[in-house]
Every structure is written in structure tokens, then in C-alpha cells.
Amino acid sequence: MVGLTRPQGGQSFAMRGGGRDSWSGQIAFVLAAAASAVGLGNLWRFPYLAARYGGGVFIAVYLILSLTLGAALLVTEIAIGRYSRQSQLTAFRALGHGRWNFLGVMATVVPLFILPYYNVIGGWVVRYFASYAGVIAGSSPGAETQGFFDAFVADPWSPFVCMAVFTAVASAVVALGVRKGIEKANVVLMPALLAITVALAIYVAALPGAGAGIKFYLVPDFSSCGSVGKVVLAAMGQMFYSLSLAMGIMITYGSYMRRGDSIPGASVRIVAADTFMAVLAGFMIIPLAVAFAGAEGGARPAVDAGPGLMFATLPKIFASLGAAGRWLGFTFFSLVLFAALTSAISMTEACVASVCDFFGIRRRPSVAAVLAWTVAVGSLSAFGYGRWSSARLFGLPMLEFFDSSMNVLTPVVAALTCVFAGWVLGPKRILAECRRESSRGIGGAFAASYAFMVRFVAPVLVAAILASEICRTFGFGGWSI
Ligand code: PHE
């Protein structure tokens, strides 16, 4: 048995104040982590990447990567959280004896800067949801009309107000606490999310012409996917984002996990749930886009519209379906809203818990501080296409600037986390935490492959994503995905 000394320093408020919050059990933990993982990345980003990188080719690469590398990284983050019983800001300091303080800071900066602009996008979803609800209730057509998106983001106040509403709801859930807030919200939202996705996928599969879309999505197309390196990089970047890695979320959520619950078992379930939802989303989005947007220049450009797919292409498709399309739009944007909300809740929690643990303050004042920060920084992005559209950094609107910077910072945090787990804390410690107070042991093959993965494979692969992101950000072409 590996020696398990208690981590030094950084005792959290909750620990001093008599017991940290915890999930009610393994299922609640898996549900919470899956709720964080399933978000815009699954519903919109996975389908369009699959369309861009050869359909089945991308799906196969993604499955292999997420079940190996993704699961190993999840195990690492959850174990760091449960072992230290702290959120990321103080966990690295405690486990690294102060020298790894900087990594905790970096892993906190990431969600602190992603949350504000994620909530701006969450606000866009609120606007679309409200618009479809209005259309169904009989008011004038909204989101499905041409130019709606451009007019909305350029409006002086709307994007800000919608972001504030979305932020308030996520913050309210977090203010209620781990069990009474986050857990309860997930128990309602996650089954709803699954049911809506399955229903929409079945509905779309039954539409005329859907078969061609399903073929386009599933059949490997080696001629269009580009080099192997590009597919692997794209799949890996997507996997990080989709599993909410390198943002302190899984460390924070792990810190609420009970000892005795299996970390590898939970990780595999989280990966499976996240991947299932991503693949299912493809069955809903791709046939729809292929069947109805073919007229506008073929299947590939329609699905490959990137961010525009969700807010411009899909509403156009819904509009072409008449009354059924309105219901489809309403149901689809309820789904997106739930998914975005549960992800925003997890990011808010990672920030709130870090503030609590670092300053030793209670949950509610910490939520208030994070809320104020989110609205203040989020306003830069919310006003960024309207009243403050002249404010640009490196030529980019604020939202895109934050997004690009975080795309570079996330792999740095991920790579350093692997180095920390593989070489500082050591795979033995992580594995010992995995089987702590559990009746089931860890197999030798699992232990050996985990150690190899976290020490060698993960840092090298993550460094490759980083190089690609840097190339893309600074425009060196060729290498970037
Ligand atoms: N994992 C989420 C998704 O797939 C995105 C996310 C990013 C969630 C950052 C939390 C934090 O969309």
C-alpha cells in the first residue's frame, strides 16, 4: 500500500467548518460530472467536427481516444480532488507542497475567464428559447427570420440582459449547495436532456431524406478527412472540451466524492455518457442539415458551417418545416438551454469552491463575488458585437479573443496536470486514491497502462494540441487544425 499522508496546508473552510459538502452517492457524482460534460460541445461541436473530418473516421478516433486518454485524465483530476479534498486553487498547493501553487492559479484562471463568455452564449440560447416559446404562443416570428442573429447580437442591451438572466439562474443553483442545488437540478435536467435528444433523433431519422444524412455521418470517408494527425488533434481537442477537463471542474467535483466509490468506474461511466450524447446529437443534427440545406451548396458546407450552424442554419431549417418546425425549434433550444445550464453550473461551482477554499469564506458570499465577476467580464463579450464593437484585441471581438486565449491555456493546464500527476504526485498515489476504502482492487494491467498514459502519452499528445493551437492563433497555417 502506498503511504497516504494527508496533504499539507490549504485547509478549506468547509473542512475547518466541520465537513465538506459531498454528493449523496456514486450515481449523483456521475450524473453531475456527466451534466458538466454534456454541453454545447456535444450538441453542436461534435457533429460539425465529425462532418468535417470524414464522418466514421472521426467518430472511431474519438471513441478510442476518449476511452483511453480521456478516461485516464478524468481519473487523474477526480483523484486529485478527492485526495486533497479541495478545489483546484488550493489542491495543487496542498499536494505539491506550495511549489505547484501556480498550477492551481492557472486552473482557476481558465474557468474564471471561460465562464463569462460561455454565459454570453448561454444568453443567446435563452433568447432563442424565448423566441420559439413566443412563436408557439402565437406572437410574431422571431428566431427563424433572416438576420435575427445579427440584429440580436448587435442590439445595445439584449445580449447583456440575456447573459445576466442565464448567469443568475446558474448562480442560484450553485448558491443552494452541492446536494440541494446542483444535485437536484441535475436529477431534473439530465433525464429531460436525454429524452429530448432521443426523441429529436428519432423524429429526424423518420424525415424523408434522412438516410443520406445518416450515411454521411457514419460511413468513414477517408478522402475528405485530411491527414491522420489532423483528425487526431481535432478529436483530442474536442475530447478535452467535451469532458470539461483542465478547468478545475473535475477536481472540485471529485473533492465532494465519497471515499469507497470507485474513481475508474465513475470515469468510464462519465466518458460513456458524454460520448453517447455526442454521437446521438450527430444523429439529430447532421441528417437535418444534409436533408434540408443540400440546396444551398451541398451537404458538407451545410453541416460545416461552424458556430453559425446552431444559430443561423438550424433556425432556417426549422422555418422550412412550417408548424412542426416551430415545435422542433422550441424543443431543440430547450435541450440546448438545459445542456448549457448544467455546464455553466459546473464552471460556476469550480470558481465558487476555489474562492471558498482560498479565502475561507462561505458559499453565498463567494457566489455573489463570482456572479459580479461574471457579469462584469461577460459584459465585454456581450456588448462586443454591438455598442462596444470597436473594442477588439488582436483584431478579434472580445468573445472570440477570450475563446482563443483559453484554447491555448487549456492544453497548458492539461499538460502540466499530467506532469504533476505522473512525476510529482506519482501514479501510485493516484491509483491508491482510486482504490481507497473500496473493496475492489485495481488490476495490474490497468495500473501499468495508467502510469504509462499519464507519464508519457498524455503530455506528448497534449503538447501537440498546444502547438497546433499556437499555430492557429498566430496564423502559421499548415499545422493547425
Ligand atoms: N463540456 C462542455 C461541453 O461539452 C463544455 C464546458 C466547457 C463545460 C467548460 C464546462 C466548462 O459543451
Side-chain angles (χ1 to χ4, degrees):
M1 186 73 187
V2 182
L4 284 168
T5 49
R6 286 289 322 155
Q8 304 292 304
Q11 292 286 293
S12 69
F13 173 79
M15 288 169 83
R16 282 188 263 127
R20 193 176 180 81
D21 255 337
S22 70
W23 306 111
S24 58
Q26 170 99 335
I27 296 180
F29 169 69
V30 171
L31 199 61
S36 167
V38 176
L40 300 179
N42 305 58
L43 299 179
W44 146 71
R45 205 160 175 262
F46 183 89
Y48 95 70
L49 285 177
R52 183 181 293 177
Y53 293 104
V57 182
F58 180 85
I59 299 177
V61 171
Y62 186 85
L63 283 179
I64 296 170
L65 274 177
S66 57
L67 283 170
T68 52
L69 184 64
L73 291 170
L74 259 184
V75 165
T76 307
E77 290 205 7
I78 297 170
I80 289 176
R82 194 172 75 175
Y83 181 42
S84 66
R85 281 270 176 255
Q86 290 177 45
S87 53
Q88 74 276 22
L89 183 54
T90 42
F92 286 107
R93 180 176 72 188
L95 299 180
H97 304 291
R99 258 166 294 154
W100 284 79
N101 216 346
F102 73 94
L103 185 52
V105 173
M106 286 170 79
T108 309
V109 163
V110 173
L112 270 179
F113 279 92
I114 292 187
L115 181 62
Y117 78 80
Y118 194 88
N119 283 5
V120 171
I121 300 174
W124 297 353
V125 179
V126 168
R127 182 70 193 88
Y128 274 69
F129 172 78
S131 165
Y132 276 102
V135 170
I136 285 180
S139 65
S140 59
E144 44 187 23
T145 51
Q146 190 78 23
F148 177 84
F149 182 71
D150 294 336
F152 163 61
V153 291
D155 189 86
W157 283 106
S158 287
F160 176 81
V161 172
C162 292
M163 177 267 287
V165 169
F166 183 82
T167 308
V169 174
S171 304
V173 171
V174 171
L176 288 172
V178 172
R179 276 199 204 187
K180 288 196 196 129
I182 304 177
E183 228 181 272
K184 287 236 165 81
N186 290 335
V187 166
V188 178
L189 293 176
M190 287 307 282
L193 209 134
L194 177 66
I196 296 177
T197 316
V198 171
L200 287 182
I202 293 175
Y203 179 84
V204 170
L207 287 174
I214 293 177
K215 212 170 126 208
F216 176 76
Y217 177 44
L218 291 184
V219 175
D221 177 4
F222 291 95
S223 63
S224 73
C225 68
S227 69
V228 178
K230 282 199 170 185
V231 180
V232 171
L233 278 182
M236 206 158 41
Q238 166 65 8
M239 185 193 80
F240 270 106
Y241 182 77
S242 193
L243 288 175
S244 308
L245 291 167
M247 303 187 201
I249 293 172
M250 294 303 168
I251 298 180
T252 299
Y253 274 18
S255 75
Y256 305 133
M257 191 185 188
R258 294 184 314 191
R259 299 228 151 95
D261 286 344
S262 159
I263 293 180
S267 303
V268 169
R269 287 186 182 100
I270 296 163
V271 171
D274 184 57
T275 309
F276 176 75
M277 287 299 286
V279 173
L280 200 59
F283 277 102
M284 163 177 84
I285 303 253
I286 294 189
L288 206 56
V290 169
F292 292 94
E296 288 186 23
R300 191 169 302 283
V303 196
D304 204 3
L309 173 66
M310 180 112 99
F311 294 108
T313 316
L314 283 180
K316 241 191 263 169
I317 296 169
F318 296 146
S320 76
L321 289 171
R326 289 191 192 129
W327 278 101
L328 212 53
F330 175 71
T331 320
F332 177 77
F333 280 102
S334 337
L335 164 71
V336 182
L337 183 62
F338 294 169
L341 198 56
T342 49
S343 294
I345 288 171
S346 72
M347 238 182 307
T348 309
E349 176 62 27
C351 297
V352 165
S354 288
V355 172
C356 285
D357 288 347
F358 187 79
F359 294 105
I361 60 172
R362 289 184 181 279
R363 177 170 283 270
R364 298 240 162 124
S366 171
V367 172
V370 171
L371 178 94
W373 161 270
T374 308
V375 173
V377 178
S379 63
L380 297 175
S381 301
F383 293 135
Y385 297 97
R387 57 170 67 221
W388 293 347
S389 59
S390 54
R392 285 170 170 252
L393 276 177
F394 296 98
L396 292 173
M398 294 309 284
L399 191 150
E400 287 159 48
F401 167 74
F402 283 126
D403 190 38
S404 309
S405 337
M406 289 305 121
N407 283 344
V408 172
L409 198 54
T410 314
V412 176
V413 173
L416 288 172
T417 306
C418 295
V419 171
F420 178 77
W423 300 96
V424 179
L425 202 56
K428 275 191 182 162
R429 280 277 171 88
I430 302 274
L431 292 167
E433 181 60 42
C434 286
R435 72 184 150 218
R436 199 167 191 193
E437 292 175 26
S438 147
S439 50
R440 297 195 19 218
I442 297 267
F446 174 83
S449 44
Y450 172 77
F452 182 66
M453 190 72 87
V454 78
R455 290 189 135 179
F456 302 104
V457 182
V460 171
L461 288 180
V462 175
I465 304 193
L466 179 62
S468 145
E469 279 302 332
I470 291 176
C471 290
R472 179 161 64 180
T473 308
F474 297 102
F476 298 142
W479 236 82
S480 60
I481 52 175

